[in-house]
Amino acid sequence: MHKYLRAIGFSACHTRKEEEELKKALLREAKLVYKLELPMDTTYLEYHCELASGMGFSLVGEVDEEGQFHLDYYFPYLVGTFESSKEECSIQRHTERETYAGMLDEYKVGISLIFYMINSIEFRIRRQEKKTLKAESVNLSCFASEGKILLPIQKTARQIEIAKVASFNRNNLLEAAKRGDEDAMESLTIEDIDLYSKVSRRLVKEDVYSIVESCFMPFGIECDQYSIIGEIKEVSSLINRFSGEEIYSLAVECNEIIFPVGINKKDLLGEPKVGRRFKGQIWMMGMVNFEK
């Protein structure tokens, strides 16, 4: 059973039997999105069942010789409306099945950002038709199994401007360091030592969440799951038309990257409002926009 069924509004689904009944019900109302013809008379179909605006279920499977559809795998999806990143994106196949993960070298995050690719069948079709596979941009999105709302950090206009300039300069240094600039590497090392010293002094008298404004770090052993803290830019509410459960879709800015976070209202502690911060563990997914 998918870990994030609850996040999309199916918190009452607990057993294998309930999961199978849910998949059958969703498949009856799903629409065909992609059709992939493979050698040896093999056809793969991808169906989408929309549960609310921009949120739904993807069901992928194979059609046999008798025309019967056999479900191979499924996953919930949330479509991001923001172009989260235009950095270089590499795509790699998962080991267990022919699904794909994307990896972004994002200087803003400070790590290689790995996400589950929600348009894998489109990628396979483009590859088969020998179209360009170069990514133009990526629309990131995610689901959270639980989360908390934190109060914002109070800042003056001058402090906000200084932070923007410092972030811009750091990104330039990271880019230069990637090209092998030794001066940039030295500057980044000194900067990190100074930052560690400042944080250590402040932790004596201040709470950690008044110092750490946002964070983006790997969580657990799965490469597409992260622990984040980010500022809420937009709040919208979605109703799962099957279950009637309310899902929050929060546009969160984390390390200067904006993406929507879908979370069941039951699993969010606190009231989300623009300007407040979201803290939680997420499963990152992304829609890759290919060059024409």
Side-chain angles (χ1 to χ4, degrees):
M1 188 178 294
H2 202 285
K3 182 181 176 182
Y4 290 90
L5 275 179
R6 183 180 179 89
I8 204 169
F10 294 116
S11 61
C13 186
H14 299 297
T15 65
R16 173 80 62 172
K17 184 179 178 182
E18 289 172 339
E19 182 191 15
E20 291 301 321
E21 289 174 356
L22 174 63
K23 286 187 285 190
K24 288 177 183 177
L26 293 171
L27 198 55
R28 281 195 294 269
E29 296 198 22
K31 294 180 180 179
L32 180 64
V33 180
Y34 295 114
K35 183 178 181 180
L36 175 63
E37 300 280 357
L38 295 173
M40 305 295 290
D41 297 325
T42 304
T43 302
Y44 262 90
L45 303 179
E46 180 173 359
Y47 290 93
H48 284 183
C49 182
E50 193 169 80
L51 304 172
S53 179
M55 182 184 79
F57 242 80
S58 180
L59 303 108
V60 183
E62 186 179 339
V63 179
D64 64 19
E65 295 175 354
E66 298 175 357
Q68 293 294 317
F69 177 76
H70 300 279
L71 184 66
D72 188 13
Y73 64 92
Y74 72 94
F75 59 90
Y77 67 83
L78 181 65
V79 177
T81 56
F82 309 96
E83 280 193 348
S84 305
S85 176
K86 290 189 175 183
E87 295 295 334
E88 184 179 346
C89 178
S90 58
I91 298 169
Q92 295 289 331
R93 183 188 186 276
H94 289 130
T95 303
E96 59 178 320
R97 62 170 67 98
E98 197 157 352
T99 54
Y100 292 81
M103 184 175 73
L104 293 164
D105 288 325
E106 266 293 352
Y107 302 124
K108 299 169 186 175
V109 178
I111 58 173
S112 293
L113 198 161
I114 299 171
F115 61 90
Y116 184 90
M117 187 173 161
I118 60 179
N119 55 331
S120 292
I121 298 294
E122 181 191 358
F123 172 79
R124 293 172 67 183
I125 292 171
R126 292 182 69 89
R127 185 177 60 188
Q128 189 182 66
E129 295 175 351
K130 299 189 180 336
K131 292 182 179 178
T132 177
L133 300 176
K134 187 174 182 182
E136 191 174 63
S137 61
V138 177
N139 292 22
L140 295 173
S141 56
C142 63
F143 283 115
S145 54
E146 60 180 1
K148 298 177 182 177
I149 300 299
L150 305 178
L151 293 174
I153 295 175
Q154 190 173 13
K155 284 185 173 184
T156 64
R158 177 172 170 76
Q159 286 174 323
I160 293 170
E161 191 60 36
I162 290 171
K164 285 181 180 179
V165 173
S167 177
F168 178 78
N169 292 337
R170 181 174 175 81
N171 288 340
N172 286 340
L173 285 172
L174 285 167
E175 192 171 349
K178 190 177 179 181
R179 294 196 303 266
D181 189 324
E182 292 184 4
D183 291 337
M185 294 179 194
E186 188 177 342
S187 296
L188 286 167
T189 303
I190 294 169
E191 189 179 297
D192 286 345
I193 292 169
D194 290 342
L195 180 62
Y196 177 79
S197 179
K198 288 177 184 176
V199 170
S200 298
R201 289 197 300 270
R202 289 183 62 182
L203 277 172
V204 177
K205 296 182 179 180
E206 297 180 52
D207 182 81
V208 66
Y209 295 121
S210 67
I211 301 170
V212 179
E213 183 178 357
S214 68
C215 80
F216 203 115
M217 57 189 294
F219 176 79
I221 60 173
E222 292 189 53
C223 55
D224 53 9
Q225 296 195 20
Y226 301 91
S227 178
I228 67 164
I229 300 173
E231 184 182 348
I232 299 171
K233 295 295 185 181
E234 292 178 15
V235 179
S236 58
S237 181
L238 305 172
I239 303 297
N240 183 317
R241 65 186 178 92
F242 273 81
S243 66
E245 293 185 26
E246 187 175 355
I247 307 299
Y248 280 127
S249 178
L250 311 175
V252 173
E253 182 179 8
C254 183
N255 288 34
E256 301 178 46
I257 298 176
I258 300 179
F259 50 85
V261 178
I263 183 170
N264 197 311
K265 185 179 179 181
K266 300 174 185 176
D267 298 324
L268 184 63
L269 180 62
E271 184 180 357
K273 285 189 177 181
V274 174
R276 293 181 179 179
R277 291 179 294 165
F278 171 82
K279 175 183 179 292
Q281 280 76 49
I282 62 165
W283 171 52
M284 183 64 75
M285 67 191 83
M287 174 80 74
V288 177
N289 305 311
F290 297 99
E291 288 186 350
K292 305 297 182 183

